């Protein structure tokens, strides 16, 4: 678990050294529009998420999940630095898609591996810890990027090329991750010596399906964070300090992820996810109504609480609801819902931004988040929550 955490930290330090600069690089250096930004980020996340369904099904049937994880991290580490050579937004689109292909291949098998190392009472803490390591990498990367740009102003392409270093470190660390390999094509949470369980005859429960429907509504308002960065950049008038703002956001994410995950183990997943989604709605409303840099930066830091409460807890809820032998597939569906929703949301957000301005675009996102929150509270009763009420 710790090794996979360090892998994620190294990978995110590379990715997040680029990401906060990408809106500026696309719109100001390459001359792309807000719609193009939405296409790039939305399509990249959609490809990532669709592949997670496929990789999740393969992981459920594989004797070992680590090769998929290694392959996925390897693709991203090779593709990412090539953004340094791009001269058009379509070339950036290609590199981002390849980067997300790697993420799509590794995501579901990695999440399923983490589920093997957790109990029902520690899943929130395990996934919260892993998200905290992700976010720690997203602090390191932007801080180093800001330092580099301070010493070498406007050398964006050199910075992008240097991300090959943490990518190589991440791939090397995966070779040290130990995995218990079970014969028969499935290494789920069964006792040693048990026969592998067939995956095709075990249906995903109704509560899981309902959660995916509610999550779809939420993700339709959850556009790419690049639009938040674009508004911050426009109001700040410069990209120089945007990576530091992005790093500060991830400090909040890293701290709150551990707290949020552990909190969900105690009081139930639904309450913590609802809290996170309400924070999200408030932040988007704040971005819709605020026009000064101090106010926007305050809302941006508050945004970290949404991630800390919701990200790890949503994954813990997926692990709670899905049968052990189908968790890879379940995580694939979960990530596909998020990615396809991100594609639709980002395209819609970009069009609304262009036609009606950022205030309306952020307002629509806040409204969809509130609608999804109400539905989550009304129709989803996770097993962990029900057990907690019974014990009390």
């Amino acid at each position: 678990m710790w090794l996979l955490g360090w892998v994620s930290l190294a990978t995110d330090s590379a990715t997040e050294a680029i990401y906060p600069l990408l809106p500026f690089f696309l719109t100001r250096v390459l001359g792309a529009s807000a719609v193009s930004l939405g296409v790039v980020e939305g399509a990249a996340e959609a490809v990532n998420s669709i592949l997670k369904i496929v990789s999740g099904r393969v992981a459920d049937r594989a004797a070992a999940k680590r090769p998929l994880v290694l392959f996925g991290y390897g693709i991203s580490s090779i593709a990412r630095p090539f953004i340094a050579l791009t001269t058009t937004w379509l070339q950036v689109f290609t590199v981002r898609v390849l980067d997300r292909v790697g993420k799509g291949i590794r995501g579901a098998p990695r999440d399923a591996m983490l589920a093997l190392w957790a109990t029902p009472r520690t899943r929130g803490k395990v996934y919260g810890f892993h998200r905290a390591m992700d976010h720690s990498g997203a602090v390191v990367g932007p801080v180093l990027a800001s330092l580099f740009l301070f010493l070498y102003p406007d050398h964006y392409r050199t910075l992008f090329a240097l991300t090959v270093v943490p990518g190589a470190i991440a791939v090397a660390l995966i070779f040290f991750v130990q995995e218990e390999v079970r014969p028969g094509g499935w290494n789920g949470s069964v006792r040693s010596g048990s026969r592998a369980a067939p995956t095709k005859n075990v249906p995903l429960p109704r509560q899981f399906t309902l959660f995916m429907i509610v999550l779809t509504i939420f993700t339709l308002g959850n556009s790419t964070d690049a639009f938040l960065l674009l508004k911050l950049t426009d109001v700040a008038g410069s990209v120089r300090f945007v990576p530091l703002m992005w790093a500060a956001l991830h400090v909040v994410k890293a701290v709150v992820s551990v707290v949020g995950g552990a909190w969900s183990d105690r009081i139930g997943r639904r309450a913590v996810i609802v809290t996170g989604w309400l924070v999200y709605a408030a932040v988007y409303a704040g971005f819709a109504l605020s026009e000064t840099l101090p106010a926007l930066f305050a809302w941006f830091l508050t945004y970290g609480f949404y991630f800390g409460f919701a990200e790890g807890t949503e994954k813990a809820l997926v692990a709670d609801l899905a049968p052990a032998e189908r968790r890879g597939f379940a995580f694939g569906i979960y990530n596909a819902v998020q990615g396809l929703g991100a594609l639709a949301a980002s395209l819609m957000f970009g069009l609304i931004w262009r036609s009606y301005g950022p205030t309306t675009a952020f307002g629509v996102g806040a409204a969809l988040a509130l609608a999804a929150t109400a539905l989550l509270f009304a129709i989803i009763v996770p097993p962990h929550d029900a057990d907690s009420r019974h014990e009390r």
Side-chain angles (χ1 to χ4, degrees):
M1 185 180 72
W2 273 96
L3 279 170
L4 281 182
W6 284 108
V7 168
S8 290
L9 187 150
T11 299
D12 267 43
S13 68
T15 300
E16 304 300 343
I18 294 174
Y19 186 77
L21 299 170
L22 197 59
F24 172 84
F25 185 72
L26 276 169
T27 60
R28 304 295 184 266
V29 177
L30 301 184
S33 67
V35 175
S36 299
L37 178 62
V39 170
V40 170
E41 290 305 304
E45 290 305 322
V47 169
N48 158 31
S49 300
I50 291 171
L51 280 173
K52 284 180 178 177
I53 295 181
V54 179
S55 67
R57 291 183 69 91
V58 172
D60 284 338
R61 289 164 170 77
K65 296 175 175 61
R66 191 179 69 169
L68 281 172
V69 175
L70 177 62
F71 184 50
Y73 278 108
I75 290 177
S76 293
S77 297
I78 292 171
R80 190 184 303 113
F82 278 96
I83 200 169
L85 303 178
T86 59
T87 56
T88 68
W89 76 268
L90 286 174
Q91 292 172 347
V92 175
F93 173 89
T94 302
V95 175
R96 283 291 289 167
V97 168
L98 285 173
D99 182 15
R100 299 295 92 175
V101 163
K103 185 175 182 180
I105 291 172
R106 69 183 182 252
R110 182 202 60 207
D111 289 341
M113 285 178 70
L114 289 171
L116 294 174
W117 301 326
T119 68
R121 294 295 179 184
T122 62
R123 282 177 188 144
K125 184 181 295 184
V126 167
Y127 287 109
F129 165 78
H130 190 263
R131 294 308 301 156
M133 294 294 280
D134 266 355
H135 297 319
S136 297
V139 174
V140 173
V143 168
L144 292 178
S146 294
L147 178 61
F148 179 86
L149 291 176
F150 178 79
L151 297 174
Y152 304 99
D154 300 327
H155 284 60
Y156 303 111
R157 297 182 186 278
T158 304
L159 172 63
F160 298 160
L162 287 173
T163 60
V164 69
V165 176
I169 292 172
V171 171
L173 286 173
I174 297 171
F175 286 98
F176 296 94
V177 176
Q178 299 298 313
E179 180 185 11
E180 182 180 357
V181 179
R182 298 180 185 276
W186 175 61
N187 60 348
S189 56
V190 294
R191 299 295 180 187
S192 179
S194 298
R195 292 178 59 85
T199 62
K200 64 180 180 180
N201 296 325
V202 181
L204 293 171
R206 181 172 177 270
Q207 281 287 299
F208 175 82
T209 303
L210 289 174
F211 179 48
M212 292 301 102
I213 293 172
V214 174
L215 185 66
T216 298
I217 296 171
F218 179 80
T219 56
L220 288 176
N222 188 7
S223 60
T224 172
D225 294 342
F227 288 115
L228 299 173
L229 292 168
L230 183 58
K231 183 162 184 177
L232 279 172
T233 303
D234 287 343
V235 173
S238 169
V239 75
R240 173 176 291 185
F241 297 108
V242 170
L244 289 179
M245 296 179 189
W246 188 246
L249 170 67
H250 283 275
V251 171
V252 178
K253 285 184 180 183
V255 173
V256 181
S257 289
V258 175
V259 176
W263 190 28
S264 78
D265 289 331
R266 294 196 303 271
I267 71 169
R269 316 290 187 212
R270 184 177 62 178
V272 180
I273 295 172
V274 163
T275 302
W277 287 7
L278 287 174
V279 170
Y280 180 93
V283 168
Y284 263 54
F287 262 74
L289 300 174
S290 303
E291 295 297 335
T292 65
L293 186 58
L296 288 171
F297 184 54
W299 283 118
F300 195 57
L301 292 182
T302 304
Y303 190 44
F305 284 83
Y306 150 68
F307 287 96
F309 288 136
E311 275 190 328
T313 307
E314 287 174 6
K315 290 186 177 183
L317 177 56
V318 171
D320 288 343
L321 293 174
E325 59 270 34
R326 300 211 72 189
R327 282 195 187 123
F329 183 50
F331 277 116
I333 292 176
Y334 163 74
N335 287 290
V337 166
Q338 288 194 316
L340 292 174
L343 173 59
S346 297
L347 290 174
M348 180 177 68
F349 198 101
L351 290 170
I352 295 174
W353 182 303
R354 185 178 66 180
S355 301
Y356 302 102
T359 297
T360 303
F362 283 112
V364 170
L368 286 169
L370 287 174
T373 302
L375 283 173
L376 179 70
F377 191 79
I379 67 176
I380 305 297
V381 182
H384 181 73
D385 294 29
D387 293 343
S388 296
R389 288 202 303 268
H390 178 72
E391 289 171 3
R392 289 196 296 268

